[in-house]
Every structure is written in structure tokens, then in C-alpha cells.
Amino acid sequence: VRFSYMRMKYLFISWLVVFIGSWIMYVQYSAYTELCRGHDCRKIIMYLGIWGNLQGVIKCQMEEAAQLDFGTDPEPRKEIILFDKPTRGTTVEKFKEMVYGFFKAKLGEQGNLSELVNIILSFADGNKDGRVSLPEAKSAWALLQLDEFLLMVMLQDKEHTPKLMGFCGDLYVIERVEYTSLYGISLPWIVELLIPSGFRRSMDQWFTPSWPRKAKIAIGLLEFVEDIFHGPYGNFLMCDTSAKNLGYNDKYDLKMVDMRKIVPEMNLKEMIKDRPCESDMDCVYGTDCRTLCDQSKMRCTTEVIQPNLAKACQLLKDYLLRGAPSDIHEELEKQLYLCIALKVSANQMEMEHSLILNNLKTLLWKKISHTTDS
């Protein structure tokens, strides 16, 4: 009788555990699949493929371009709108005027806009026959509506931007980056749900590269911040500086893997100007581009609070300080906290920005320049 009672007890407990576990998995799976339906799914899916003899990532962004509507979900795009320009009969000169006007509205008065137009026309000539056909022009115009594509064209000669390998319609192919996060390991989603967030952060730190390699990756991020800070085509703002948007190759050179939330400063200011608000939380784009709510007018101001460098340093703080050599740990920590404290509104911000950025790069480079990781 005792044996039967104990056996029944364990069977009941086992059944209960299986039932509860199955129910949790079902609920979580249902929630997960809800995120992967319709246009929400198509916004985030990328495809791996072969372009010639090179591995690439095929991207197709299904969301409306430049959708800075702060907190609301974008509607699915309408194909007829995306490919309605230029119309049949449009000359190349007229198309150049269209592109120039688009850049002027999006980037402001920049001295190199004409040069940028020529770069776009060269890229639009996909088959390299010396002329831009109507389908090529329509494809180029559709792609220009995407901030990521536009930024990639602007920065194609920069080390930390993945190379554009080609396009078709509004699909575009970029080089594949081997490691697609600063640190951490990829786990099945159900495992991620079961791991406490604090323990997950610790796991991230366990699976980082060696410190000299982390330093080299960090230098790459600082250089990318330089590339988009008041460059030849204006200032761009990093509005999501999470580790999942950054990657690196087998030589530990940083590569940007997702630039969809890097937007022209002028474009962002125009979108957020006089936006109704009740608190500063209403004046946020992405996760990191924040302005203040003017309580007297109940409208968002246009001045972004933190520069890109401060947000990059916040991301790098724990990444670099863990395992840092003892002889530079104190100075590195000091420079990182000075960097995080940077504000756009501060007096002589640009001078401080340049000084801190150079100090950090020099400090890191001196420590790794004599190693094989450099």
C-alpha cells in the first residue's frame, strides 16, 4: 500500500509538472507566433544567400520608410506607392533633380549633395551598361526611402559599414558578418524565456572575446561614431545602440549589422518638432533618441539630449571594464564615465566630444598595438 501510495504521488507530481510546463510553453509559443505574423514578421526577417562566390545577407524592409511616429506600429507599406516614381518619360536629368530635392529635404543644405546624387546614379546602374533604365531608377528611388540603405551608400568607403553587393527591386544584398552581436551566445527562444535576465547578462560576459579583441571591436565602434558625426552629408543619430545591432568579422573588426534606427538629425528634428507630449517619455524615438517635453507648451523640443558617443560608451562600459588590464583600468573607467556624461546642450560639447573620443581610442590602441590582436 505504501509503495502504491508513493508511486501515485510521484506520478501525480510528474504529471502536474508536465502539464504546467506544457501550458507555459503553449502560452509563450502563442505569444511568439503572434509576433511573427503578417507585416511584423516581414519587417525583421533577413535571408542568407550566395551572391557570386560571396556569402551575403538579403534584406527586405517591409515597414514604411522614415516612420517616426513614436510609439505606434507602422502600417504595411503599399507597393503601388513605393514604386510609383519616376514615371515613364522621366529623363535622367529630371531623375537627378528628384534625388537632389529628396536629399535636400532629408539632409539639409550640404555642400556635397551633388556628389551624393552622382554616387546614387552610379549605384542605380545595376548592370553597369552606362545608363539608368526606368526599372533601375524605380528600384533606386524605392531603396532611397530606407535610412539604412541611404546610410550604407554614403559610408561604402568606410571600414565598419558592410559592403553593398547589389539590389533588385527593394531587396538589397550586403556582405555577411560572421558574429552578429558584441557578445553573448544565441539560444533557442524557449531557453531564453527560462533564464533569469541577471543570469543571462552574466552569460553574455562569459562568452566575450579576449580583452585585446574587445578593445579592437570597441575602437571600431568609436570610429563609426566619428564617421556619422557631422560628416560630409550631415549628422546622423544612433537611436538604438544595443549590442544586437553590432557585429564583427573573424579579424575582430566591427561591422554594423542593423542601421535601420540610424537617422538623419535634420529628419528626426523635423518629425518630432512640436509633437504633443505630457512627459519626456513621449519624446523618444527608437530606444535612445530622446528630447525634452516643454511643459509650458506641452510639445517636444527638437534637441536630442545625448550624442551618439555617450550612448556608445554606455554600451561599452561593462564590455570593456570586465577583464581590463589593471594598469589602465582606472583611467579607462574615468574616460568612459566622462563620455557617458556628455550632453548635446553642454558648452563646448564638440570639443569635449573630440577630446574624449580621441583619449579613449589612444588609451585602447596603446594597450593592444603591440599584440597580434591589433
Side-chain angles (χ1 to χ4, degrees):
V1 175
R2 176 177 173 79
F3 174 77
S4 299
Y5 171 75
M6 292 299 295
R7 185 171 61 177
M8 290 297 295
K9 179 180 177 180
Y10 285 124
L11 283 173
F12 175 76
I13 293 174
S14 300
W15 174 84
L16 189 62
V17 169
V18 170
F19 175 78
I20 294 174
S22 301
W23 181 79
I24 292 173
M25 290 179 66
Y26 170 77
V27 171
Q28 296 295 344
Y29 177 77
S30 298
Y32 179 80
T33 53
E34 284 296 327
L35 296 176
C36 292
R37 293 176 181 168
H39 71 277
D40 284 327
C41 174
R42 292 177 292 171
K43 283 191 300 184
I44 61 176
I45 284 184
M46 295 179 293
Y47 306 89
L48 299 180
I50 303 296
W51 194 267
N53 60 347
L54 299 174
Q55 287 191 331
V57 176
I58 306 168
K59 288 192 170 187
C60 181
Q61 297 184 33
M62 303 297 286
E63 70 267 34
E64 293 259 357
Q67 187 88 16
L68 307 187
D69 48 2
F70 299 83
T72 60
D73 292 329
E75 293 296 322
R77 68 177 179 179
K78 300 178 177 61
E79 302 291 338
I80 191 171
I81 293 177
L82 197 60
F83 291 100
D84 67 336
K85 295 179 182 179
T87 56
R88 184 173 298 277
T90 302
T91 64
V92 172
E93 286 303 315
K94 184 65 177 177
F95 181 58
K96 288 176 69 173
E97 291 177 13
M98 284 175 54
V99 175
Y100 185 91
F102 172 78
F103 287 154
K104 186 176 179 181
K106 197 173 189 68
L107 305 174
E109 293 284 357
Q110 305 290 335
N112 293 331
L113 286 189
S114 296
E115 178 186 342
L116 182 58
V117 171
N118 290 331
I119 292 173
I120 293 299
L121 260 68
S122 175
F123 190 84
D125 181 15
N127 59 5
K128 304 303 177 186
D129 63 351
R131 65 186 185 87
V132 178
S133 65
L134 180 62
E136 287 174 334
K138 283 179 176 287
S139 181
W141 182 258
L143 287 169
L144 285 177
Q145 313 310 307
L146 305 174
D147 287 320
E148 180 178 55
F149 179 83
L150 175 58
L151 190 58
M152 292 188 77
V153 172
M154 292 178 181
L155 301 177
Q156 272 303 280
D157 60 338
K158 301 298 182 181
E159 179 183 359
H160 307 297
T161 306
K163 298 303 178 187
L164 274 167
M165 299 163 64
F167 68 93
C168 180
D170 60 348
L171 290 168
Y172 55 103
V173 186
I174 65 173
E175 69 170 302
R176 183 180 180 184
V177 178
E178 186 168 354
Y179 303 96
T180 55
S181 178
L182 275 186
Y183 49 80
I185 55 174
S186 297
L187 299 172
W189 66 270
I190 189 63
V191 178
E192 291 275 11
L193 292 172
L194 300 175
I195 298 177
S197 58
F199 184 70
R200 184 66 172 93
R201 286 193 295 271
S202 297
M203 286 182 63
D204 284 339
Q205 295 293 349
W206 297 341
F207 291 94
T208 55
S210 64
W211 189 87
R213 290 171 174 172
K214 288 194 293 185
K216 186 178 181 183
I217 295 167
I219 290 172
L221 179 56
L222 297 175
E223 289 174 344
F224 179 77
V225 169
E226 281 185 297
D227 291 341
I228 63 174
F229 181 67
H230 294 312
Y233 309 115
N235 188 29
F236 281 72
L237 300 173
M238 299 173 69
C239 295
D240 185 358
T241 49
S242 59
K244 62 182 173 59
N245 294 334
L246 314 174
Y248 55 93
N249 61 20
D250 57 355
K251 296 181 180 179
Y252 299 92
D253 297 316
L254 178 112
K255 296 287 184 179
M256 303 299 298
V257 296
D258 191 339
M259 299 194 293
R260 288 178 296 171
K261 286 295 190 292
I262 301 178
V263 297
E265 181 179 28
M266 177 178 172
N267 194 209
L268 179 61
K269 286 185 173 183
E270 189 64 30
M271 290 290 184
I272 199 173
K273 182 176 63 177
D274 295 328
R275 187 171 186 84
C277 63
E278 295 181 0
S279 70
D280 293 345
M281 295 302 295
D282 297 322
C283 304
V284 180
Y285 174 65
T287 57
D288 296 315
C289 285
R290 302 171 182 272
T291 71
L292 298 175
C293 179
D294 186 342
Q295 294 295 327
S296 63
K297 300 177 181 178
M298 305 302 286
R299 292 288 186 273
C300 293
T301 60
T302 59
E303 202 67 57
V304 175
I305 299 170
Q306 273 191 312
N308 293 332
L309 182 58
K311 293 176 281 191
C313 287
Q314 182 67 59
L315 176 64
L316 292 173
K317 179 173 68 68
D318 293 337
Y319 187 71
L320 281 177
L321 291 179
R322 181 180 174 87
S326 57
D327 57 330
I328 68 164
H329 191 283
E330 183 177 349
E331 180 62 21
L332 179 59
E333 185 175 29
K334 173 187 172 183
Q335 291 297 327
L336 285 169
Y337 276 105
L338 285 173
C339 178
I340 293 169
L342 275 173
K343 301 293 183 185
V344 170
S345 58
N347 292 332
Q348 300 181 321
M349 193 282 291
E350 292 199 17
M351 184 181 297
E352 290 183 25
H353 184 285
S354 179
L355 182 63
I356 292 173
L357 191 148
N358 287 329
N359 285 346
L360 278 169
K361 284 173 59 180
T362 301
L363 183 64
L364 295 171
W365 185 249
K366 279 185 176 180
K367 196 62 186 175
I368 68 170
S369 59
H370 62 285
T371 68
T372 56
D373 297 302
S374 64

